[in-house]
Amino acid sequence: MQNNSNIPKTKDSNILLRVSNLQVDFRTEEGIFTAIKDLSFELNKGEIIGIVGESGSGKSVSSMAIMGILSKMASIPKGSIEFFDDDNKAIELNNISEDEYRRIRGKEISMIFQEPMTSLNPVYKCGEQVIEAILLHQNISKKAARLKAIELFEEVELPRPDKIFESYPHQISGGQKQRVMIAMAISSKPKLLIADEPTTALDVRVQKRILEILKNLQKKYNMSVIFITHDLGVIAQIAEKVLVVYRGELIENASVKDIFNNAQNAYTRGLINCRPRTNIRSKQLPTVSDYINLNDKDIADKLQAISDKEREKEHKNLYAQEPILKVQNLKTSFVSERNILGKATATVDAVDDVSFDVFPGETIGLVGESGCGKTTLGRTILQMIPSTSGDVIYNNQNLAQLDSKTLRNLRQDIQIIFQDPYSSLNPRMTIGDAILEPMMVHGILKNKQERRERVIELLNRVGLNADQYSRYPHEFSGGQRQRIVIARSLALNPKFIVCDESVSALDVSVQAQVLNLLNELKKEYGLTYIFISHDLSVVKYMSDRILVMRNGKIVELGEADDLYNNPQTEYTKELIAAIPEV
């Protein structure tokens, strides 16, 4: 921390926050790592600015520095963070004591964190946690705090506020948890609200509503907002000004209009263009590294569109085949209530009378909001969850009727890529051994040496290398871990892969790399995919056909471009309308 004297400074009466030449260092085993380098910007009263960049760019570190919640391994050797009070006096935040910071934090400056489940205490009811935040900064009774908490729940448009007040975090959806966090953050009407990736991994409809709620609250209370994200499409919906950060440095600072119409930096242009476009189907998605390393002609080649004739010809060949998978009247139910004796008294149909075919070499997209049943459907197809009724016929074998030994042998053919690669990898096992293990279980190749060579070949194929064989999952980034689980799924030479939200939590640039890789592997190995996601723009880019799922049922099925351009149901229209457009 700096040791400059904390002398109040006068300023332009419209400025609320001024960050000047900020540097943030972290002590590591390898030495000092500088996460933020010479960062400077100003935030006006009632203004929304966006900070955008990939994971590791320093955007969240800057917000933690403003909040005064950096870890003990961090230091601020240079720069200042000035927050201006009602009398236009500057408070040097990196000079005040922790007690002084505690009086400001939550009351004057508040924060919404990326993952509400880890930010909310699982052993306390949602209402109790909001009451605690209110009582910490406001001199009111507990009864008055309760009434205020319910008012806040109504303000953030939580359904049944009284019920959610009495609910624990695990009993409500992701979008509802995020609204509880927003209610807590605005409970003391802060002057500055920092929203750190508040919509990452949320369904597009929920994301759209969260953005609308934040914008309405910002106008109502004339708050200043710093909105942090990796997605420029989201920034376009909410912010007035954009700061683009790359490897800890501010590389662009301009209005939203100027950034999108005339981005000065190749990195910014990459962030803008690496999301799948909804108006064309390009052969490949460009990545940030393409814009940094390639010339305009090479990028234009990547953006070359697949013509309608090419796609029509491909589909004619595709659907002339016999289906590789037939799902017939599939139903999967769960017990939702039991009586005192443990007998089921109520059930919920997570998958409700679903039927469709999948053809060899096809990518069929499965889209819908959280809780619609798409993940349950994917896992029921793989028999990871038993079905209640119906049939899953893969290559003329009914998977629901196979014994465990036959089913295990068949798992060579059918694999899954999970949403969270970190939780699906054993933290005590090197990534090389994690890829090698299923090959050993199924007796693929003759010995460990051959299997090891195959693992290295797969690592190279997904963009990693042999030197990383002996490293552990925590030593890799999110995008690299996703490549590892893709390599593991390929180890058994499968024909069919279920991709369950496999890119939803990735930065848009890493997402583009993984989507390109999945398409390359599909052609190279003759794979068939069920691609599950809540993001219709991603599903449209990847898919030949799309299934739209809601409340356990398929509400629409059609060729991907036709469904997007001419949706038949109101629900599909709402999903399309919620896609953030750059």
Side-chain angles (χ1 to χ4, degrees):
M1 293 285 182
Q2 283 181 296
N3 293 315
N4 302 342
S5 59
N6 188 19
I7 302 170
K9 299 176 183 177
T10 59
K11 54 101 187 185
D12 175 349
S13 61
N14 198 41
I15 296 176
L16 180 71
L17 182 77
R18 180 187 291 134
V19 176
S20 305
N21 308 115
L22 182 68
Q23 180 174 322
V24 180
D25 291 343
F26 285 87
R27 296 191 306 278
T28 69
E29 291 179 0
E30 287 78 28
I32 297 296
F33 170 71
T34 301
I36 298 286
K37 305 169 189 173
D38 202 30
L39 177 66
S40 298
F41 68 91
E42 290 180 347
L43 174 68
N44 293 327
K45 290 177 181 176
E47 182 180 38
I48 303 177
I49 65 168
I51 301 181
V52 69
E54 298 170 282
S55 294
S57 64
K59 56 189 189 295
S60 291
V61 173
S62 63
S63 69
M64 289 190 284
I66 294 167
M67 285 291 291
I69 55 174
L70 288 168
S71 74
K72 292 180 180 177
M73 304 301 287
S75 63
I76 300 177
K78 189 180 77 168
S80 66
I81 304 169
E82 297 172 290
F83 181 74
F84 294 89
D85 63 19
D86 293 333
D87 297 322
N88 286 346
K89 300 264 180 90
I91 303 167
E92 288 273 10
L93 294 182
N94 50 336
N95 281 339
I96 61 177
S97 68
E98 181 55 34
D99 285 342
E100 290 174 291
Y101 231 131
R102 205 174 287 119
R103 284 193 287 272
I104 293 173
R105 192 188 297 126
K107 185 178 181 182
E108 304 285 338
I109 306 175
S110 195
M111 188 165 181
I112 305 165
F113 292 94
Q114 178 174 351
E115 180 43 72
M117 194 62 207
T118 56
S119 304
L120 292 169
N121 192 321
V123 300
Y124 288 101
K125 293 176 181 176
C126 294
E128 292 172 346
Q129 298 186 56
V130 178
I131 284 177
E132 183 183 23
I134 293 168
L135 292 176
L136 186 64
H137 297 291
Q138 299 175 46
N139 187 22
I140 60 175
S141 68
K142 192 165 184 178
K143 184 178 179 181
R146 178 189 172 89
L147 291 172
K148 185 173 177 62
I150 291 174
E151 284 175 15
L152 287 164
F153 281 2
E154 290 171 350
E155 200 166 11
V156 298
E157 301 180 12
L158 277 165
R160 305 178 306 282
D162 291 334
K163 184 174 181 182
I164 288 182
F165 185 95
E166 298 295 336
S167 300
Y168 292 94
H170 71 274
Q171 295 175 309
I172 60 178
S173 71
Q176 289 171 340
K177 281 193 278 278
Q178 198 59 279
R179 291 179 197 211
V180 171
M181 284 295 298
I182 293 170
M184 196 183 303
I186 66 163
S187 60
S188 294
K189 298 183 178 63
K191 293 183 180 72
L192 171 59
L193 179 66
I194 300 172
D196 186 5
E197 299 270 15
T199 60
T200 297
L202 290 181
D203 302 328
V204 285
R205 280 209 318 170
V206 177
Q207 172 180 270
K208 184 181 180 183
R209 194 65 205 125
I210 292 291
L211 294 176
E212 289 170 351
I213 288 168
L214 282 172
K215 213 160 187 180
N216 291 339
L217 291 169
Q218 180 265 336
K219 286 178 182 174
K220 181 176 180 179
Y221 297 116
N222 195 35
M223 288 186 299
S224 299
V225 177
I226 296 175
F227 194 96
I228 297 168
T229 182
H230 62 262
D231 190 343
L232 271 164
V234 172
I235 288 288
Q237 310 302 307
I238 193 167
E240 302 154 33
K241 192 166 69 179
V242 188
L243 312 180
V244 182
V245 289
Y246 177 59
R247 296 184 178 176
E249 295 187 66
L250 179 62
I251 60 170
E252 291 212 47
N253 181 354
S255 69
V256 168
K257 184 178 178 181
D258 287 342
I259 286 289
F260 287 112
N261 290 334
N262 189 28
Q264 299 299 302
N265 193 282
Y267 176 76
T268 308
R269 292 196 295 274
L271 285 180
I272 291 169
N273 289 295
C274 63
R275 267 191 74 88
R277 297 186 183 190
T278 52
N279 59 335
I280 63 166
R281 180 180 294 277
S282 57
K283 292 184 176 177
Q284 272 189 299
L285 290 175
T287 65
V288 169
S289 61
D290 290 338
Y291 278 85
I292 293 172
N293 299 317
L294 300 182
N295 59 41
D296 290 345
K297 183 184 179 302
D298 290 336
I299 293 170
D301 288 343
K302 276 201 164 190
L303 286 170
Q304 191 176 348
I306 298 171
S307 70
D308 291 342
K309 282 188 177 180
E310 285 177 290
R311 190 163 167 81
E312 190 178 326
K313 183 181 177 182
E314 186 181 333
H315 283 181
K316 187 177 180 181
N317 294 331
L318 196 65
Y319 300 122
Q321 308 171 90
E322 281 296 310
I324 190 173
L325 179 79
K326 296 180 181 181
V327 177
Q328 299 173 340
N329 307 110
L330 193 65
K331 189 170 184 176
T332 306
S333 304
F334 296 108
V335 174
S336 57
E337 289 180 23
R338 296 181 185 273
N339 63 19
I340 196 169
L341 299 175
K343 185 178 179 181
T345 56
T347 59
V348 59
D349 296 329
V351 176
D352 189 3
D353 195 29
V354 167
S355 298
F356 63 94
D357 296 338
V358 185
F359 293 82
E362 182 180 27
T363 297
I364 191 160
L366 181 56
V367 70
E369 296 176 287
S370 294
C372 71
K374 57 188 186 296
T375 290
T376 302
L377 174 57
R379 295 186 182 200
T380 304
I381 289 169
L382 294 171
Q383 299 301 296
M384 297 169 71
I385 297 173
S387 58
T388 306
S389 61
D391 299 311
V392 180
I393 300 168
Y394 175 78
N395 275 345
N396 300 317
Q397 290 182 286
N398 194 338
L399 303 188
Q401 296 175 2
L402 297 181
D403 59 69
S404 57
K405 184 180 178 182
T406 308
L407 190 60
R408 192 184 77 165
N409 290 337
L410 198 61
R411 291 207 189 280
Q412 278 188 238
D413 274 7
I414 312 174
Q415 287 289 299
I416 185 168
I417 302 169
F418 293 101
Q419 177 174 357
D420 182 3
Y422 192 67
S423 62
S424 62
L425 291 167
N426 188 331
R428 296 185 179 88
M429 186 179 284
T430 67
I431 61 107
D433 287 342
I435 298 169
L436 186 143
E437 185 184 40
M439 297 167 67
M440 193 165 60
V441 168
H442 287 274
I444 291 175
L445 301 178
K446 296 176 184 175
N447 52 53
K448 189 172 182 178
Q449 181 56 36
E450 285 190 7
R451 291 174 192 135
R452 183 184 171 88
E453 288 171 4
R454 172 64 174 155
V455 170
I456 291 169
E457 180 186 321
L458 287 169
L459 286 174
N460 289 329
R461 184 61 196 84
V462 299
L464 300 171
N465 59 62
D467 295 341
Q468 295 167 311
Y469 185 104
S470 300
R471 288 168 60 183
Y472 290 87
H474 72 272
E475 298 179 83
F476 294 88
S477 69
Q480 287 174 321
R481 282 195 288 265
Q482 197 60 274
R483 291 169 183 269
I484 292 162
V485 296
I486 290 171
R488 185 177 61 181
S489 72
L490 294 173
L492 298 179
N493 301 316
K495 297 182 178 68
F496 191 103
I497 298 178
V498 175
C499 305
D500 186 9
E501 296 277 14
S502 52
V503 297
S504 65
L506 298 177
D507 293 336
V508 286
S509 57
V510 179
Q511 175 181 281
Q513 294 169 20
V514 173
L515 294 177
N516 285 339
L517 175 63
L518 287 171
N519 278 334
E520 289 167 14
L521 294 171
K522 177 186 171 183
K523 290 178 181 176
E524 190 173 328
Y525 294 101
L527 299 172
T528 303
Y529 291 143
I530 292 181
F531 189 90
I532 300 172
S533 178
H534 62 260
D535 188 336
L536 214 153
S537 63
V538 171
V539 171
K540 176 185 177 292
Y541 173 74
M542 290 294 291
S543 303
D544 296 293
R545 291 183 299 152
I546 294 176
L547 295 166
V548 181
M549 198 168 182
R550 188 181 195 187
N551 297 330
K553 293 180 178 290
I554 301 297
V555 296
E556 194 160 353
L557 166 61
E559 197 278 333
D561 291 352
D562 291 345
L563 185 142
Y564 181 85
N565 293 323
N566 188 27
Q568 299 300 303
T569 66
E570 283 303 315
Y571 179 67
T572 308
K573 290 174 186 176
E574 289 173 15
L575 287 179
I576 293 167
I579 298 171
E581 288 290 347
V582 174

